[in-house]
Amino acid sequence: MAWVFIEEAETGPAAVGLEILTKAREFGSPTVIYFGAGSEAAFATLGEYGADRVFHLAPTEGSTGIAAAAAAIAGLASEHNPDVILFGQTYTDRDVAGRLSSRIGKTIISNGIDVAIDGGVGVTTELFGGTQLVTTMFEGDGPHLVLLRPKSFPAEPSGGAAPTVTTVALPDTGHAGAARVVGNFVEESQGPKLEEAAVIVAGGRGLGSAEAFGLVERLAAPLKAATGATRAIVDAGWVPYAKQVGQTGKTVKPDVYIACGISGAMQHLVGMKDSKIIIAINKDEEAPIFGVADLGVVGDVHQVLPKLIEALENR
Amino acid sequence: MKVAVCVKQIPDPASPYELDPSTHNLVRPNEQVLDDTDRYGVEVGLQIAGDTEGTVTLISMGPSGNLNGIRQALAMGADGAILIDDEALKGSDSLTTARILAAAIATESFDIVIAGTESTDGYSGILPQQLAELLDVPALTYAKKIDVDGSTVRINRQTTTGFDTVEAPTPVVVSVTAGVVEPRYPTFKGIMDAKKKPVDTRTVSDLGVDIKVDQRIVMVVPAPSRSGGEVVIDEGDGHQKIVAMLEQAKVI
Ligand SMILES: Cc1cc2nc3c(=O)[nH]c(=O)nc-3n(C[C@H](O)[C@H](O)[C@H](O)COP(=O)(O)OP(=O)(O)OC[C@H]3O[C@@H](n4cnc5c(N)ncnc54)[C@H](O)[C@@H]3O)c2cc1C
């Protein structure tokens, strides 16, 4: 029996949660731990993706609710004994899973791209930029805790009915639960979302300057593409973190990924190497990005991009 | 404030990583380096200690080797280090690592424990949270900005769309992202001083932690690899090749 932890995003259950819920159906009727304000519509969506039962944990106003959620899940798990509790490799999921792990004395396997329950619980992870696949088995009794990377499974509705929802009170965890949210800031973003776009144009340090990211944006416009970035230029402050693709950013699988001035470090490759078609522009013939590109153009982005933009704008 | 900073020595990322064929554990050479992402945590620790007349103690688990990585962090200005090095810890799972670090941290009463959000070589990304629960303190995670105001620590917590401002009273665990501060470079004096700073090495039995590893690597196979396609040198016509590829992909 698998449980799936799902955080509430702006518009209902987080996308990665529905991906994992789809996968969890292979192990019987899944139970969802839903973390957020909750609504009839959100619970109906969970049912549509196969949740049979939902434990609803709603953080109190102002509190992050993380320590309390971990304590509540520990209580539920000792009562119901799930084999595994699956989480997404995301910020809040990592926070809750980490605390839960210590609380129930069970380790976590992170960065999973697949999970199997077959006698024991096995998790597949990628190593060395996705060139090696590692299978790790848990030892001892469950519940075993697994963090799975976004986009590891497609999210597909099963057409299930509304689930049984039980609201679970969040316990007082004293000092451990003292983190409070006192403000929030949302960066402006226009155009298609990175995770959903069919085409992504991404830029790296090879652009040379923050201003030159404008070339990436101008190329994205006629392609209705989302724009992405490497960590190097996010850390340099050229673009916001929300655009970062890779191990510590987003995982994307568009139809076409155009990498401009990106070297192809393994931490970047793990986030985009499963794109259908990869096109790379880099002035260094030896750049590792060419090892995964379907089309590589050895050239200067300041030469190639303006001509490419012009050609597309004139179509 | 008494600050602890968790740091890790890792094999130099510039050299290719290898797995031990029998245990599948990462091969760790004698000469290791400070995980680059830990420089941010050390810098945050030094700034807090500087503003509050406090101290910075490094906490690390792993094979000591020649201590090069630890000395790099001491050279930045940390006061001393506690290193837990024990054969029995080879192939530890994440919870074991957290238990060991928590036990070492608990031997002294720290106000703030700082860690990176994930290491470069293992990147499980849950250690700070495991540590916070074991120490029974709040966790302020993914900090991209941090302020200390009396006994309150306030951070900007990275989110997928921006950030949340989150605060908690000390004692607290804080995990920091790369980019939170500009790490200082060690000075010549710092490098010389680092050689004399105390590095207190402990074993598992010193800490009294029971080790039980709950996971086992059963298989490592090459991933189905994606091979590169055509690579052309731009001679003023590179963009035409790209247009043709976009047409073929039916996105234009
Ligand atoms: C723990 C950890 C996590 C990480 N997570 C991520 C992550 O999520 N995402 C990520 O992207 N990185 C991540 N990184 C960083 C990663 O290792 C690389 O440093 C980063 O991806 C490099 O970015 P880049 O390709 O923009 O820069 P560089 O590696 O500096 O590459 C720039 C490229 O541009 C080319 N170039 C220069 N000038 C031109 C020109 N005029 N025209 C064309 N080409 C040109 C150069 O030949 C070079 O190949 C992580 C690192 C660590 C340690």
Side-chain angles (χ1 to χ4, degrees), chain A residues 205 230-231 244-248 263 267-268 282 300-301:
Chain A
R205 190 143 50 190
T230 63
R231 183 164 115 178
Q244 184 174 318
V245 173
Q247 183 182 301
T248 43
S263 59
Q267 293 93 348
H268 187 75
N282 193 304
D300 186 335
V301 285

Side-chain angles (χ1 to χ4, degrees), chain A residues 155-226:
Chain A
E156 282 156 4
S158 63
T164 321
V165 181
T166 312
T167 302
V168 180
L170 290 186
D172 179 358
T173 49
H175 179 62
R180 295 185 58 77
V181 184
V182 295
N184 119 309
F185 172 79
V186 176
E187 257 140 17
E188 291 289 329
S189 73
Q190 308 126 334
K193 283 178 109 173
L194 255 182
E195 301 95 312
E196 292 161 13
V199 182
I200 293 173
V201 184
R205 190 143 50 190
L207 291 167
S209 68
E211 294 67 47
F213 196 78
L215 287 171
V216 167
E217 286 165 345
R218 280 175 53 211
L219 175 58
L223 292 168
K224 298 190 179 54

Side-chain angles (χ1 to χ4, degrees), chain A residues 203-208 229-233 244-250 260-268 281-284 287-288 299-302, chain B residues 35-37 118-120 123:
Chain A
R205 190 143 50 190
L207 291 167
T230 63
R231 183 164 115 178
I233 75 168
Q244 184 174 318
V245 173
Q247 183 182 301
T248 43
K250 292 187 169 126
C260 310
I262 292 177
S263 59
M266 74 185 187
Q267 293 93 348
H268 187 75
I281 307 165
N282 193 304
K283 71 175 185 192
D284 174 11
D300 186 335
V301 285
H302 296 284
Chain B
D35 187 337
D36 191 61
T37 55
E118 65 252 303
S119 64
T120 300
Y123 58 92

Side-chain angles (χ1 to χ4, degrees), chain A residues 95 99 133 139 275 293-294, chain B residues 124 129 133 216 221 226 229 232:
Chain A
D95 281 354
R99 296 201 83 112
L133 295 179
E139 316 221 296
S275 306
D294 299 278
Chain B
S124 60
Q129 297 86 338
E133 184 73 18
R216 186 168 44 94
V221 294
R226 176 176 189 125
V232 298

Side-chain angles (χ1 to χ4, degrees), chain A residues 21-46:
Chain A
L21 182 52
T22 303
K23 173 68 187 182
R25 300 203 298 258
E26 289 176 20
F27 313 129
S29 304
T31 291
V32 166
I33 313 273
Y34 193 66
F35 185 55
S39 66
E40 285 307 312
F43 300 139
T45 305
L46 297 175

